Amino acid sequence: MRPHDLNLLMIFDAIMTEGAITRAADRLSMTQPAVSNALSRMRTAWKDELFVKDGRGIQPTSYAKNLWSQIQGPLGELEVAVNPTDFNPATAKRTFRIAATDSIVSMVWGPLRKVIENEAPGINIHAIPNYDMETDKILKDAEAELTFSKHQEPDSVIRAEHVLDPSWVVIMRPDHPLAASQLTLDDFVAADHLLVSVTGDVTGPTDQVLANLGLKRRVAMSVNQFYNATPLLKESNLICVAPSLVVEKEIFSGELAVFETPVEIVSSPLSVMWHKRQDQDAGLQWLRGLVVKFIRERVQRHELLLSQCCRKAYCADTVKRLMAQRNMDSSEFTPAHLQTANDAVAGPEPEPVLKDKVIA
C-alpha cells in the first residue's frame, strides 16, 4: 500500500468517527480544506460518493459503511503497534466517550472527576445516551469507547466485563397502607402498580414471574424515567418494583419505604463493554479499571445499607402452594440464599432465615 492510500484511510476513519468534516479536521490537526481535498481524492480513487449531505451534517453511503467495518480493526492495531504504551494519565490529552444511563453517571462521574483533577488533568469524559439494545452498534460505529448492557450474547468483536447484578425491591411512600406491616404476595398483586418502561411496554420481568404463578397485577400507570417515578410514589398509593440502586437516595433517606419483592425477580447481569480493536489501548484500560472499581465499591456499600433497611416480603409458603397447584417445582422461584438455608435445615423454613435478606 502506498503511503498516500494509508493517509486517505486515516482521514476517512476520522470523518466516519466524528461524523463531520470540521470535527475530523480538529481530530487530525488539519485544516478543513485539507480534509475536504482528501475526501475528493477518496471519491475519485474509490469511485463512490462516500458521504451525502443530511441537513447540517453528513451521512455515509453503504460503500463507506462497509469499508469502515473492514478497516477499523487493522487501523486500531497499527495505532497500538506504533504506540503500544503511549499513555500517561498525568500528561495525556484525550477525550473518552461513555454511553451510560443516569444511574451509571451518578455512581461513576463524581469519583472519576476527583481522579482526573488530581492525576489526569488533560482527560475529558463525555456521556452519550445509552440505548441498551444498541450497545453493539454504538461500539462498532465508534460512537463511544465504553458502554453498559444487560446483554452478553457472544460477539466476535465485543468484549464485556461483569460489574453488578441489580437487586429488585418494592418501594412505596412510608405512610402507604401496605407499609404498616409485612408485604404479602396477595397484597402485592392487589395493589396498583407504577411501571418504569423506557420502551413504553406495559409489562416487565415482574409480570412474567407472576404469570408463571398464575397471577396478574394491575399496572395502573407507567412512566419512562425513574426521575418521574419517585414523586408519583410519594403522593399516591402506587407501589413500584425497581432496581434498588436507582432509588438509593430515596430509600436510604427514608423518603420511600422499601421491601423485598414477594417473589424473586431474576436480575440481568450488567456488564461494561468495549470493542476488541481497543483491547490493547492503554488509555482505555486505565479508564475501564477505574469505572469498574468505582461501580463495585458503590455496589458493596449499597448492599450493606440495603440489608439494614429492606423489610421482609418473600412469601415462601405462598409460592410453594401456588407452584403445587400448577405442578411446578417451587425451587426455581425461591431465592438462592433461601434454598441454601433450606438444604441445611429440615422441616419448615425458620423465620430467622428470612430476616433482613435482600432479594437480588
Side-chain angles (χ1 to χ4, degrees), residues 152-169:
Q152 292 183 303
E153 296 178 2
D155 190 303
S156 60
V157 298
I158 303 299
R159 304 288 192 251
E161 181 177 359
H162 172 261
V163 289
L164 68 91
D165 296 294
S167 296
W168 292 89
V169 294

Side-chain angles (χ1 to χ4, degrees), residues 51-69:
F51 300 95
V52 294
K53 288 186 177 180
D54 181 16
R56 294 184 177 181
I58 56 175
Q59 290 294 329
T61 64
S62 297
Y63 178 91
K65 292 178 181 178
N66 180 60
L67 176 61
W68 199 42
S69 69

Side-chain angles (χ1 to χ4, degrees), residues 74-330:
L75 284 179
E77 292 170 4
L78 281 172
E79 177 66 25
V80 171
V82 173
N83 299 302
T85 58
D86 189 19
F87 182 82
N88 180 348
T91 58
K93 306 286 185 183
R94 185 166 174 183
T95 297
F96 292 100
R97 292 160 299 183
I98 304 177
T101 61
D102 289 346
S103 58
I104 293 294
V105 170
S106 70
M107 281 192 284
V108 173
W109 259 236
L112 187 56
R113 183 60 196 169
K114 289 181 180 178
V115 171
I116 290 172
E117 290 182 353
N118 293 326
E119 304 174 16
I123 298 297
N124 304 317
I125 305 293
H126 293 170
I128 69 170
N130 182 29
Y131 304 106
D132 193 42
M133 297 303 294
E134 297 183 357
T135 295
D136 291 5
K137 184 177 185 301
I138 288 173
L139 295 173
K140 290 175 181 176
D141 291 352
E143 295 177 18
E145 286 77 34
L146 291 178
T147 187
F148 296 84
S149 178
K150 297 188 292 289
H151 306 284
Q152 292 183 303
E153 296 178 2
D155 190 303
S156 60
V157 298
I158 303 299
R159 304 288 192 251
E161 181 177 359
H162 172 261
V163 289
L164 68 91
D165 296 294
S167 296
W168 292 89
V169 294
V170 183
I171 51 177
M172 63 189 77
R173 59 187 175 89
D175 56 347
H176 192 289
L178 297 182
S181 60
Q182 176 181 320
L183 179 64
T184 68
L185 180 55
D186 289 340
D187 287 339
F188 174 80
V189 172
D192 289 343
H193 287 250
L194 173 65
L195 176 67
V196 181
S197 173
V198 177
T199 63
D201 191 355
V202 292
T203 60
T206 301
D207 300 285
Q208 183 59 58
V209 175
L210 292 176
N212 290 337
L213 294 169
L215 301 173
K216 182 178 175 63
R217 66 174 176 167
R218 176 192 176 195
V219 176
M221 188 170 280
S222 68
V223 294
N224 59 6
Q225 293 181 8
F226 278 102
Y227 174 83
N228 295 318
T230 51
L232 271 172
L233 293 171
K234 292 176 185 178
E235 61 188 31
S236 72
N237 282 335
L238 291 166
I239 70 173
C240 181
V241 177
S244 58
L245 270 167
V246 176
V247 289
E248 173 180 83
K249 175 181 177 293
E250 289 79 7
I251 61 179
F252 292 160
S253 66
E255 296 175 62
L256 292 174
V258 56
F259 289 81
E260 296 175 339
T261 53
V263 289
E264 184 181 29
I265 302 171
V266 178
S267 301
S268 297
L270 187 73
S271 296
V272 60
M273 308 181 79
W274 66 98
H275 198 284
K276 77 167 188 177
R277 63 174 170 265
Q278 293 184 288
D279 273 344
Q280 305 304 316
D281 184 328
L284 191 60
Q285 290 174 356
W286 170 81
L287 176 63
R288 194 171 73 241
L290 289 175
V291 168
V292 171
K293 173 177 177 287
F294 294 145
I295 292 177
R296 288 178 177 167
E297 288 176 349
R298 177 68 171 271
V299 169
Q300 186 177 22
R301 292 195 301 271
H302 173 87
E303 294 292 348
L304 177 61
L305 291 172
L306 186 63
S307 68
Q308 297 170 4
C309 69
C310 191
R311 295 158 63 183
K312 178 184 176 298
Y314 180 72
C315 306
D317 292 339
T318 303
V319 171
K320 289 176 182 177
R321 174 173 54 79
L322 290 169
M323 289 292 92
Q325 291 174 0
R326 297 172 67 83
N327 296 318
M328 297 175 68
D329 182 2
S330 65

Side-chain angles (χ1 to χ4, degrees), residues 4 7-9 11-12 15 21-22 24-25 28 30-46 48-51:
H4 133 152
N7 287 338
L8 290 183
L9 287 174
I11 296 171
F12 170 74
I15 298 173
I21 301 293
T22 302
L28 296 166
M30 296 173 62
T31 64
Q32 183 174 337
V35 173
S36 297
N37 289 336
L39 179 55
S40 296
R41 296 198 301 274
M42 294 177 211
R43 287 169 169 161
T44 300
W46 302 336
D48 189 85
E49 189 67 12
L50 298 177
F51 300 95

Side-chain angles (χ1 to χ4, degrees), residues 321-346:
R321 174 173 54 79
L322 290 169
M323 289 292 92
Q325 291 174 0
R326 297 172 67 83
N327 296 318
M328 297 175 68
D329 182 2
S330 65
S331 65
E332 63 181 291
F333 292 94
T334 303
H337 68 275
L338 298 185
Q339 290 183 44
T340 302
N342 290 343
D343 291 341
V345 180

